[in-house]
Amino acid sequence: MTPENTNLTVLGVPLALKAGANTRRFQQAIQLVEERFADQIRRNNGRQNKELLLTFMALELADELLQLQKQHQDTGNRLEQLLSYIEQSK
């Protein structure tokens, strides 16, 4: 017997997740997407279509991801420098 898929809905669109998927994380992600989408609607006073609002939202999330990746890389570089300094001072 195969496990059942989990069904979720995001912005009115039904999604089926594979069995074993971390539904808690997906629910948190859906909540973020729906909050960001509602924010886009408020900022645009409902003047833009759903596709355009979703595109803006995707770009904002992608920009945040790129910034976080750069911060992560910068932190890793600083840690490497610190470890190197500690090892040299021994």
Side-chain angles (χ1 to χ4, degrees):
M1 177 179 248
T2 58
E4 294 287 324
N5 288 344
T6 300
N7 296 311
L8 299 172
T9 303
V10 59
L11 299 174
V13 178
L15 300 173
L17 302 179
K18 289 187 219 174
N22 187 336
T23 56
R24 183 174 165 265
R25 280 185 37 211
F26 273 97
Q27 288 169 335
Q28 290 173 325
I30 289 169
Q31 182 178 353
L32 175 63
V33 166
E34 290 180 341
E35 287 171 0
R36 294 284 180 101
F37 186 72
D39 185 54
Q40 285 288 341
I41 290 173
R42 278 191 298 279
R43 285 192 279 165
N44 289 284
N45 295 321
R47 295 181 308 245
Q48 302 293 336
N49 66 33
K50 186 175 184 177
E51 186 175 282
L52 188 58
L53 293 176
L54 288 171
T55 302
F56 279 124
M57 188 179 73
L59 287 172
E60 286 180 351
L61 289 170
D63 180 56
E64 283 182 33
L65 175 62
L66 291 171
Q67 289 178 33
L68 288 171
Q69 287 174 335
K70 183 177 181 337
Q71 289 174 0
H72 179 72
Q73 181 65 43
D74 291 346
T75 300
N77 290 340
R78 287 194 305 272
L79 286 172
E80 285 179 23
Q81 291 172 351
L82 182 59
L83 285 173
S84 177
Y85 175 77
I86 290 169
E87 288 177 3
Q88 290 174 4
S89 66
K90 286 184 179 181

Coordinates of all heavy atoms in Angstrom, one line a residue:
M1 N 0.8 -1.2 0.0 CA 0.0 0.0 0.0 C 0.9 1.2 0.0 O 1.8 1.3 0.8 CB -0.9 0.0 1.2 CG -1.8 1.2 1.3 SD -2.9 1.1 2.8 CE -4.4 0.9 2.0
T2 N 0.6 2.2 -0.9 CA 1.4 3.4 -1.0 C 0.8 4.5 -0.1 O -0.5 4.6 -0.1 CB 1.5 3.9 -2.4 OG1 0.2 4.1 -2.9 CG2 2.3 2.9 -3.3
P3 N 1.6 5.3 0.5 CA 1.0 6.4 1.4 C 0.3 7.4 0.5 O 0.6 7.6 -0.7 CB 2.3 7.0 2.0 CG 3.4 6.1 1.8 CD 3.0 5.2 0.6
E4 N -0.7 8.1 1.1 CA -1.5 9.1 0.4 C -0.7 10.4 0.2 O 0.1 10.7 1.1 CB -2.7 9.3 1.2 CG -3.7 8.2 1.3 CD -4.4 7.9 0.0 OE1 -4.7 8.8 -0.7 OE2 -4.6 6.7 -0.3
N5 N -1.0 11.1 -0.9 CA -0.5 12.4 -1.0 C -1.2 13.4 -0.1 O -2.3 13.1 0.4 CB -0.7 12.9 -2.5 CG 0.2 12.3 -3.5 OD1 1.2 11.6 -3.1 ND2 -0.2 12.4 -4.7
T6 N -0.5 14.5 0.3 CA -1.1 15.5 1.1 C -1.6 16.6 0.2 O -0.9 17.1 -0.7 CB -0.1 16.1 2.1 OG1 0.4 15.0 2.9 CG2 -0.7 17.1 2.9
N7 N -2.9 17.0 0.4 CA -3.5 18.1 -0.5 C -3.5 19.4 0.3 O -4.0 19.5 1.4 CB -4.9 17.7 -0.9 CG -4.9 16.5 -1.8 OD1 -4.1 16.4 -2.7 ND2 -5.7 15.5 -1.4
L8 N -2.9 20.4 -0.3 CA -2.9 21.8 0.2 C -3.4 22.7 -0.8 O -3.5 22.4 -2.0 CB -1.5 22.2 0.7 CG -0.8 21.3 1.7 CD1 0.7 21.7 1.9 CD2 -1.5 21.4 3.0
T9 N -3.7 23.9 -0.4 CA -4.2 25.0 -1.3 C -3.4 26.2 -1.1 O -3.3 26.7 0.1 CB -5.7 25.2 -1.1 OG1 -6.4 24.0 -1.3 CG2 -6.2 26.2 -2.1
V10 N -2.9 26.8 -2.1 CA -2.2 28.1 -2.0 C -2.9 29.1 -3.0 O -3.0 28.8 -4.2 CB -0.7 28.0 -2.3 CG1 -0.4 27.4 -3.6 CG2 0.0 29.3 -2.1
L11 N -3.3 30.2 -2.5 CA -4.0 31.2 -3.3 C -5.1 30.6 -4.2 O -5.3 31.0 -5.4 CB -3.0 31.9 -4.2 CG -1.9 32.7 -3.5 CD1 -0.9 33.3 -4.5 CD2 -2.5 33.8 -2.6
G12 N -5.8 29.7 -3.6 CA -7.0 29.0 -4.3 C -6.6 27.9 -5.2 O -7.5 27.3 -5.9
V13 N -5.3 27.6 -5.3 CA -4.9 26.6 -6.3 C -4.5 25.3 -5.5 O -3.7 25.3 -4.6 CB -3.6 27.0 -7.0 CG1 -3.1 25.9 -7.9 CG2 -3.9 28.3 -7.8
P14 N -5.2 24.2 -5.8 CA -5.0 23.0 -5.0 C -3.6 22.4 -5.5 O -3.3 22.4 -6.6 CB -6.1 22.1 -5.4 CG -6.6 22.6 -6.7 CD -6.3 24.1 -6.7
L15 N -2.9 21.9 -4.5 CA -1.6 21.2 -4.7 C -1.6 19.9 -4.0 O -2.0 19.8 -2.9 CB -0.4 22.1 -4.2 CG -0.3 23.5 -4.7 CD1 0.8 24.2 -3.9 CD2 0.1 23.4 -6.2
A16 N -1.0 18.9 -4.7 CA -0.8 17.6 -4.1 C 0.7 17.4 -3.8 O 1.5 17.5 -4.7 CB -1.4 16.5 -5.0
L17 N 1.0 17.2 -2.5 CA 2.4 16.9 -2.2 C 2.6 15.4 -2.1 O 1.8 14.7 -1.7 CB 2.7 17.6 -0.8 CG 2.5 19.1 -0.7 CD1 2.9 19.6 0.7 CD2 3.3 19.8 -1.8
K18 N 3.8 15.0 -2.4 CA 4.2 13.6 -2.3 C 4.1 13.2 -0.8 O 4.3 14.0 0.1 CB 5.6 13.4 -2.7 CG 5.9 13.5 -4.2 CD 7.3 13.0 -4.4 CE 7.9 13.9 -5.5 NZ 9.3 13.6 -5.7
A19 N 3.7 12.0 -0.6 CA 3.7 11.4 0.7 C 5.1 11.6 1.4 O 6.1 11.4 0.7 CB 3.3 9.9 0.7
G20 N 5.1 11.9 2.6 CA 6.3 12.1 3.3 C 6.9 13.5 3.2 O 7.9 13.8 3.9
A21 N 6.3 14.4 2.5 CA 6.7 15.8 2.4 C 6.5 16.5 3.7 O 5.6 16.1 4.4 CB 6.0 16.5 1.3
N22 N 7.3 17.4 4.0 CA 7.2 18.1 5.3 C 6.1 19.2 5.2 O 6.3 20.3 4.8 CB 8.6 18.8 5.6 CG 8.6 19.5 7.0 OD1 7.5 19.8 7.6 ND2 9.8 19.6 7.5
T23 N 4.9 18.7 5.5 CA 3.7 19.6 5.3 C 3.8 20.8 6.2 O 3.3 21.9 5.8 CB 2.4 18.8 5.6 OG1 2.5 18.3 6.9 CG2 2.2 17.7 4.6
R24 N 4.4 20.7 7.4 CA 4.5 21.9 8.3 C 5.3 23.0 7.6 O 4.9 24.2 7.6 CB 5.2 21.5 9.6 CG 5.3 22.6 10.6 CD 5.8 22.2 11.9 NE 6.2 23.3 12.7 CZ 7.5 23.8 12.8 NH1 8.4 23.2 12.1 NH2 7.7 24.8 13.5
R25 N 6.4 22.7 6.9 CA 7.2 23.7 6.2 C 6.4 24.2 5.0 O 6.4 25.4 4.7 CB 8.5 23.1 5.7 CG 9.5 23.0 6.8 CD 10.9 22.6 6.4 NE 11.3 23.0 5.1 CZ 12.1 22.3 4.3 NH1 12.6 21.1 4.7 NH2 12.5 22.7 3.1
F26 N 5.7 23.3 4.3 CA 4.9 23.8 3.2 C 3.8 24.7 3.6 O 3.5 25.7 3.0 CB 4.3 22.6 2.4 CG 5.2 22.1 1.3 CD1 6.0 21.0 1.5 CD2 5.3 22.8 0.1 CE1 6.9 20.6 0.6 CE2 6.2 22.3 -0.9 CZ 7.0 21.2 -0.6
Q27 N 3.2 24.4 4.8 CA 2.1 25.3 5.3 C 2.7 26.7 5.7 O 2.0 27.7 5.4 CB 1.4 24.6 6.5 CG 0.5 23.5 6.0 CD 0.0 22.6 7.2 OE1 0.6 22.6 8.3 NE2 -1.1 21.9 7.0
Q28 N 3.9 26.7 6.3 CA 4.5 27.9 6.6 C 4.8 28.7 5.3 O 4.6 29.9 5.3 CB 5.8 27.7 7.4 CG 5.6 27.2 8.8 CD 6.8 26.8 9.5 OE1 7.8 26.3 8.9 NE2 6.9 27.1 10.8
A29 N 5.3 28.0 4.3 CA 5.6 28.7 3.0 C 4.3 29.2 2.4 O 4.3 30.3 1.9 CB 6.3 27.7 2.1
I30 N 3.3 28.5 2.4 CA 2.0 28.9 1.9 C 1.5 30.2 2.6 O 1.1 31.1 2.0 CB 0.9 27.8 2.0 CG1 1.3 26.7 0.9 CG2 -0.5 28.3 1.7 CD1 0.5 25.4 1.1
Q31 N 1.7 30.2 3.9 CA 1.3 31.3 4.7 C 2.1 32.6 4.3 O 1.5 33.6 4.1 CB 1.5 31.1 6.2 CG 1.0 32.2 7.1 CD 1.2 32.0 8.6 OE1 1.5 30.9 9.0 NE2 0.9 33.0 9.4
L32 N 3.4 32.4 4.1 CA 4.2 33.5 3.6 C 3.8 34.0 2.3 O 3.6 35.2 2.0 CB 5.7 33.1 3.6 CG 6.7 34.1 3.0 CD1 6.7 35.3 3.9 CD2 8.1 33.5 2.9
V33 N 3.6 33.1 1.3 CA 3.1 33.4 0.0 C 1.8 34.2 0.0 O 1.6 35.2 -0.6 CB 3.0 32.2 -0.9 CG1 2.3 32.5 -2.2 CG2 4.4 31.6 -1.2
E34 N 0.9 33.7 0.8 CA -0.4 34.4 0.9 C -0.3 35.7 1.5 O -1.0 36.7 1.1 CB -1.4 33.4 1.6 CG -1.8 32.2 0.7 CD -2.8 31.3 1.3 OE1 -3.0 31.3 2.5 OE2 -3.4 30.5 0.5
E35 N 0.5 35.9 2.6 CA 0.7 37.2 3.2 C 1.4 38.1 2.2 O 0.9 39.3 2.1 CB 1.6 37.0 4.4 CG 0.9 36.4 5.6 CD 1.8 36.1 6.8 OE1 3.0 36.3 6.7 OE2 1.3 35.5 7.8
R36 N 2.4 37.7 1.5 CA 3.1 38.5 0.5 C 2.1 38.9 -0.6 O 2.1 40.1 -1.1 CB 4.3 37.8 -0.1 CG 5.4 37.6 0.9 CD 6.1 38.9 1.2 NE 7.2 38.6 2.2 CZ 8.5 38.5 1.9 NH1 8.9 38.6 0.6 NH2 9.4 38.3 2.8
F37 N 1.3 38.0 -1.0 CA 0.3 38.3 -2.1 C -0.7 39.3 -1.6 O -1.0 40.3 -2.4 CB -0.4 37.0 -2.6 CG -1.3 37.2 -3.8 CD1 -0.7 37.5 -5.0 CD2 -2.6 37.2 -3.6 CE1 -1.5 37.7 -6.1 CE2 -3.5 37.4 -4.7 CZ -2.9 37.7 -6.0
A38 N -1.2 39.2 -0.4 CA -2.2 40.1 0.1 C -1.5 41.5 0.2 O -2.1 42.5 -0.1 CB -2.7 39.7 1.5
D39 N -0.2 41.5 0.6 CA 0.5 42.8 0.7 C 0.6 43.4 -0.7 O 0.5 44.7 -0.9 CB 1.9 42.6 1.3 CG 2.7 43.9 1.5 OD1 2.1 44.8 2.1 OD2 3.8 44.0 1.0
Q40 N 0.9 42.6 -1.7 CA 1.0 43.1 -3.1 C -0.4 43.7 -3.5 O -0.4 44.8 -4.2 CB 1.4 42.0 -4.1 CG 2.8 41.6 -4.1 CD 3.7 42.7 -4.7 OE1 3.3 43.6 -5.4 NE2 5.0 42.6 -4.3
I41 N -1.5 43.1 -3.2 CA -2.8 43.6 -3.5 C -3.0 44.9 -2.8 O -3.5 45.9 -3.5 CB -3.9 42.6 -3.1 CG1 -3.8 41.3 -4.1 CG2 -5.3 43.2 -3.2 CD1 -4.7 40.2 -3.7
R42 N -2.7 45.0 -1.5 CA -2.9 46.3 -0.8 C -2.0 47.4 -1.4 O -2.5 48.5 -1.6 CB -2.5 46.1 0.7 CG -3.5 45.5 1.5 CD -3.2 45.6 3.0 NE -2.0 44.9 3.4 CZ -1.9 43.6 3.6 NH1 -3.0 42.9 3.5 NH2 -0.8 43.1 3.9
R43 N -0.8 47.1 -1.7 CA 0.1 48.1 -2.3 C -0.4 48.6 -3.7 O -0.1 49.8 -4.0 CB 1.5 47.6 -2.4 CG 2.2 47.6 -1.0 CD 3.7 47.4 -1.2 NE 4.0 46.0 -1.4 CZ 5.1 45.5 -1.8 NH1 6.1 46.3 -2.1 NH2 5.3 44.2 -2.0
N44 N -1.0 47.8 -4.4 CA -1.5 48.1 -5.8 C -3.0 48.4 -5.8 O -3.5 48.6 -6.9 CB -1.1 47.0 -6.7 CG 0.3 46.9 -7.0 OD1 0.9 47.7 -7.7 ND2 1.0 46.0 -6.3
N45 N -3.6 48.5 -4.7 CA -5.0 48.8 -4.6 C -5.9 48.0 -5.5 O -6.8 48.4 -6.1 CB -5.3 50.3 -4.8 CG -4.7 51.1 -3.8 OD1 -4.7 50.8 -2.6 ND2 -4.1 52.3 -4.2
G46 N -5.4 46.7 -5.8 CA -6.2 45.8 -6.6 C -6.2 46.2 -8.1 O -7.0 45.7 -8.9
R47 N -5.3 47.1 -8.5 CA -5.2 47.6 -9.9 C -4.5 46.6 -10.9 O -4.6 46.8 -12.1 CB -4.6 49.0 -10.0 CG -5.4 50.0 -9.3 CD -4.7 51.4 -9.4 NE -3.3 51.3 -9.0 CZ -2.7 51.9 -8.0 NH1 -3.4 52.7 -7.3 NH2 -1.4 51.8 -7.7
Q48 N -3.7 45.7 -10.3 CA -2.9 44.8 -11.2 C -3.6 43.4 -11.2 O -4.2 43.0 -10.2 CB -1.5 44.7 -10.7 CG -0.8 46.0 -10.6 CD -0.5 46.6 -11.9 OE1 -0.4 45.9 -12.9 NE2 -0.3 47.9 -12.0
N49 N -3.3 42.7 -12.3 CA -3.9 41.3 -12.3 C -3.0 40.4 -11.5 O -1.9 40.7 -11.1 CB -4.0 40.9 -13.8 CG -2.7 40.7 -14.5 OD1 -1.7 40.3 -13.9 ND2 -2.7 40.9 -15.8
K50 N -3.6 39.2 -11.2 CA -2.9 38.2 -10.3 C -1.6 37.8 -10.9 O -0.6 37.7 -10.1 CB -3.9 37.0 -10.2 CG -3.4 36.0 -9.2 CD -4.4 34.9 -9.0 CE -4.0 33.9 -8.0 NZ -5.0 32.8 -7.8
E51 N -1.5 37.6 -12.2 CA -0.2 37.2 -12.8 C 0.9 38.2 -12.5 O 2.0 37.9 -12.2 CB -0.4 37.0 -14.3 CG 0.8 36.4 -15.0 CD 0.5 36.1 -16.4 OE1 -0.2 35.0 -16.7 OE2 0.9 36.9 -17.3
L52 N 0.6 39.5 -12.7 CA 1.6 40.5 -12.5 C 2.0 40.6 -11.0 O 3.2 40.7 -10.7 CB 1.1 41.9 -13.0 CG 2.1 43.0 -13.0 CD1 3.3 42.7 -13.9 CD2 1.4 44.3 -13.5
L53 N 1.0 40.5 -10.1 CA 1.3 40.6 -8.7 C 2.2 39.4 -8.3 O 3.1 39.6 -7.5 CB 0.0 40.6 -7.9 CG -0.9 41.9 -8.1 CD1 -2.2 41.7 -7.3 CD2 -0.1 43.1 -7.6
L54 N 1.9 38.2 -8.8 CA 2.7 37.1 -8.5 C 4.1 37.2 -9.0 O 5.0 36.8 -8.4 CB 2.0 35.8 -9.0 CG 0.7 35.4 -8.3 CD1 0.0 34.2 -9.0 CD2 1.0 35.0 -6.8
T55 N 4.2 37.8 -10.2 CA 5.6 38.0 -10.7 C 6.4 39.0 -9.9 O 7.5 38.7 -9.6 CB 5.5 38.6 -12.2 OG1 4.7 37.7 -13.0 CG2 6.8 38.8 -12.8
F56 N 5.8 40.1 -9.4 CA 6.4 41.0 -8.5 C 6.8 40.3 -7.2 O 7.9 40.4 -6.7 CB 5.6 42.2 -8.2 CG 5.6 43.3 -9.2 CD1 4.4 43.7 -9.8 CD2 6.8 43.9 -9.6 CE1 4.4 44.7 -10.8 CE2 6.8 44.8 -10.6 CZ 5.6 45.3 -11.2
M57 N 5.9 39.5 -6.7 CA 6.2 38.8 -5.5 C 7.3 37.8 -5.6 O 8.2 37.7 -4.8 CB 4.9 38.1 -5.0 CG 5.0 37.4 -3.6 SD 3.5 36.6 -3.2 CE 3.5 35.2 -4.2
A58 N 7.3 37.1 -6.7 CA 8.4 36.1 -7.0 C 9.8 36.8 -7.1 O 10.8 36.4 -6.6 CB 8.1 35.3 -8.3
L59 N 9.8 38.0 -7.7 CA 11.0 38.8 -7.8 C 11.5 39.3 -6.5 O 12.7 39.2 -6.2 CB 10.8 40.0 -8.8 CG 10.7 39.6 -10.3 CD1 10.3 40.8 -11.1 CD2 12.1 39.0 -10.8
E60 N 10.6 39.7 -5.6 CA 10.9 40.1 -4.3 C 11.5 39.0 -3.5 O 12.5 39.1 -2.8 CB 9.7 40.7 -3.6 CG 9.3 42.1 -4.0 CD 8.1 42.7 -3.3 OE1 7.5 41.9 -2.5 OE2 7.8 43.8 -3.5
L61 N 10.9 37.8 -3.6 CA 11.4 36.7 -2.8 C 12.7 36.2 -3.4 O 13.6 35.8 -2.6 CB 10.4 35.5 -2.9 CG 9.1 35.7 -2.1 CD1 8.1 34.6 -2.4 CD2 9.4 35.7 -0.6
A62 N 12.9 36.3 -4.7 CA 14.2 35.9 -5.3 C 15.3 36.9 -4.9 O 16.4 36.5 -4.6 CB 14.1 35.9 -6.8
D63 N 14.9 38.2 -4.8 CA 15.9 39.2 -4.4 C 16.3 38.9 -2.9 O 17.5 39.0 -2.6 CB 15.3 40.6 -4.5 CG 16.3 41.6 -4.1 OD1 17.4 41.7 -4.6 OD2 15.9 42.4 -3.2
E64 N 15.4 38.6 -2.1 CA 15.7 38.3 -0.7 C 16.6 37.1 -0.6 O 17.5 37.0 0.2 CB 14.4 38.0 0.1 CG 13.7 39.3 0.5 CD 12.4 39.0 1.3 OE1 12.4 38.0 2.1 OE2 11.4 39.8 1.1
L65 N 16.3 36.0 -1.4 CA 17.1 34.8 -1.4 C 18.5 35.1 -1.8 O 19.5 34.7 -1.2 CB 16.5 33.8 -2.3 CG 17.3 32.5 -2.5 CD1 17.5 31.8 -1.2 CD2 16.7 31.6 -3.6
L66 N 18.7 35.9 -2.9 CA 20.0 36.3 -3.3 C 20.8 37.1 -2.2 O 22.0 36.8 -2.0 CB 19.9 37.1 -4.6 CG 19.5 36.4 -5.8 CD1 19.2 37.3 -7.0 CD2 20.5 35.3 -6.2
Q67 N 20.1 38.0 -1.6 CA 20.7 38.7 -0.5 C 21.1 37.8 0.7 O 22.2 38.0 1.2 CB 19.8 39.8 0.0 CG 19.6 41.0 -1.0 CD 18.7 42.0 -0.4 OE1 18.6 42.3 0.8 NE2 17.9 42.7 -1.3
L68 N 20.3 36.9 1.0 CA 20.6 36.0 2.1 C 21.8 35.0 1.7 O 22.6 34.7 2.6 CB 19.4 35.1 2.5 CG 18.3 35.9 3.2 CD1 17.0 35.0 3.3 CD2 18.8 36.3 4.6
Q69 N 21.8 34.6 0.4 CA 22.9 33.8 0.0 C 24.2 34.5 0.1 O 25.2 34.0 0.5 CB 22.7 33.3 -1.4 CG 21.6 32.2 -1.5 CD 21.3 31.9 -3.0 OE1 21.5 32.6 -3.9 NE2 20.8 30.6 -3.1
K70 N 24.2 35.8 -0.3 CA 25.4 36.6 -0.2 C 25.8 36.8 1.3 O 27.0 36.7 1.6 CB 25.2 38.0 -0.9 CG 26.5 38.9 -0.8 CD 26.3 40.2 -1.5 CE 27.5 41.0 -1.5 NZ 28.5 40.8 -0.5
Q71 N 24.9 37.1 2.1 CA 25.2 37.2 3.6 C 25.8 35.9 4.1 O 26.7 35.9 4.9 CB 23.9 37.6 4.4 CG 23.5 39.0 4.1 CD 22.1 39.3 4.8 OE1 21.5 38.4 5.5 NE2 21.6 40.5 4.7
H72 N 25.2 34.8 3.7 CA 25.7 33.5 4.1 C 27.1 33.3 3.7 O 28.0 32.8 4.4 CB 24.8 32.4 3.6 CG 25.2 31.0 3.9 ND1 25.1 30.5 5.2 CD2 25.7 30.0 3.2 CE1 25.5 29.3 5.2 NE2 25.9 29.0 4.0
Q73 N 27.4 33.6 2.4 CA 28.8 33.5 1.9 C 29.7 34.4 2.6 O 30.8 34.0 3.0 CB 28.8 33.8 0.4 CG 30.2 33.7 -0.3 CD 30.6 32.3 -0.2 OE1 29.9 31.3 -0.5 NE2 31.9 32.1 0.1
D74 N 29.3 35.7 2.9 CA 30.1 36.6 3.6 C 30.4 36.1 5.0 O 31.6 36.2 5.5 CB 29.5 38.0 3.7 CG 29.4 38.7 2.3 OD1 30.1 38.3 1.4 OD2 28.7 39.7 2.2
T75 N 29.4 35.6 5.7 CA 29.6 35.0 7.0 C 30.6 33.9 7.0 O 31.5 33.7 7.8 CB 28.3 34.6 7.6 OG1 27.4 35.7 7.7 CG2 28.5 34.0 9.0
G76 N 30.5 33.0 6.0 CA 31.4 31.9 5.8 C 32.8 32.3 5.6 O 33.8 31.8 6.2
N77 N 33.0 33.4 4.8 CA 34.3 33.9 4.6 C 34.9 34.5 5.8 O 36.1 34.3 6.1 CB 34.3 35.0 3.5 CG 34.0 34.4 2.1 OD1 34.2 33.2 1.9 ND2 33.5 35.2 1.2
R78 N 34.1 35.2 6.6 CA 34.6 35.8 7.9 C 35.0 34.7 8.9 O 36.0 34.8 9.6 CB 33.6 36.7 8.5 CG 33.4 38.0 7.7 CD 32.7 39.1 8.5 NE 31.4 38.7 8.9 CZ 30.2 38.9 8.2 NH1 30.3 39.4 7.1 NH2 29.1 38.5 8.7
L79 N 34.2 33.6 8.9 CA 34.5 32.5 9.8 C 35.8 31.8 9.4 O 36.6 31.5 10.2 CB 33.4 31.5 9.8 CG 32.1 31.9 10.6 CD1 31.0 30.9 10.4 CD2 32.4 32.0 12.1
E80 N 36.0 31.6 8.1 CA 37.2 31.0 7.6 C 38.4 31.9 8.0 O 39.5 31.4 8.4 CB 37.2 30.9 6.1 CG 36.3 29.7 5.6 CD 36.3 29.5 4.1 OE1 37.2 30.0 3.4 OE2 35.3 29.0 3.6
Q81 N 38.3 33.2 7.8 CA 39.4 34.1 8.2 C 39.7 34.1 9.7 O 40.8 34.1 10.1 CB 39.0 35.6 7.8 CG 39.0 35.8 6.3 CD 38.5 37.2 5.9 OE1 37.9 37.9 6.8 NE2 38.6 37.5 4.7
L82 N 38.6 34.0 10.5 CA 38.8 33.9 11.9 C 39.5 32.6 12.3 O 40.4 32.6 13.1 CB 37.4 34.0 12.6 CG 37.4 34.0 14.1 CD1 38.3 35.1 14.7 CD2 36.0 34.1 14.7
L83 N 39.0 31.5 11.7 CA 39.7 30.2 12.0 C 41.2 30.2 11.6 O 42.0 29.7 12.3 CB 38.9 29.1 11.3 CG 37.6 28.7 11.9 CD1 36.9 27.6 11.0 CD2 37.8 28.1 13.3
S84 N 41.4 30.8 10.5 CA 42.8 30.9 10.0 C 43.6 31.7 11.0 O 44.8 31.4 11.3 CB 42.8 31.5 8.6 OG 44.2 31.7 8.2
Y85 N 43.1 32.8 11.4 CA 43.8 33.7 12.4 C 44.0 32.9 13.7 O 45.1 33.0 14.3 CB 42.9 34.9 12.7 CG 43.5 35.8 13.7 CD1 44.6 36.7 13.4 CD2 43.0 35.9 15.0 CE1 45.1 37.5 14.4 CE2 43.5 36.7 16.0 CZ 44.6 37.5 15.7 OH 45.1 38.3 16.7
I86 N 43.0 32.2 14.2 CA 43.2 31.4 15.4 C 44.3 30.4 15.2 O 45.1 30.2 16.1 CB 41.8 30.8 15.8 CG1 40.9 31.9 16.3 CG2 42.0 29.7 16.9 CD1 39.4 31.4 16.5
E87 N 44.3 29.7 14.1 CA 45.3 28.6 13.9 C 46.7 29.2 13.8 O 47.7 28.6 14.2 CB 44.9 27.8 12.6 CG 43.7 26.9 12.9 CD 43.3 26.1 11.6 OE1 44.0 26.3 10.6 OE2 42.3 25.4 11.7
Q88 N 46.8 30.4 13.2 CA 48.1 31.0 13.0 C 48.6 31.5 14.4 O 49.8 31.6 14.6 CB 48.0 32.2 12.0 CG 47.9 31.7 10.6 CD 47.7 32.9 9.7 OE1 47.7 34.0 10.0 NE2 47.4 32.6 8.4
S89 N 47.7 31.9 15.2 CA 48.2 32.4 16.5 C 48.5 31.3 17.6 O 49.0 31.7 18.6 CB 47.1 33.3 17.1 OG 45.9 32.6 17.4
K90 N 48.4 30.1 17.2 CA 48.7 29.0 18.1 C 50.2 28.8 18.2 O 51.0 28.9 17.4 CB 48.0 27.7 17.7 CG 46.6 27.7 18.0 CD 46.0 26.3 17.6 CE 44.5 26.3 17.9 NZ 43.9 25.0 17.6

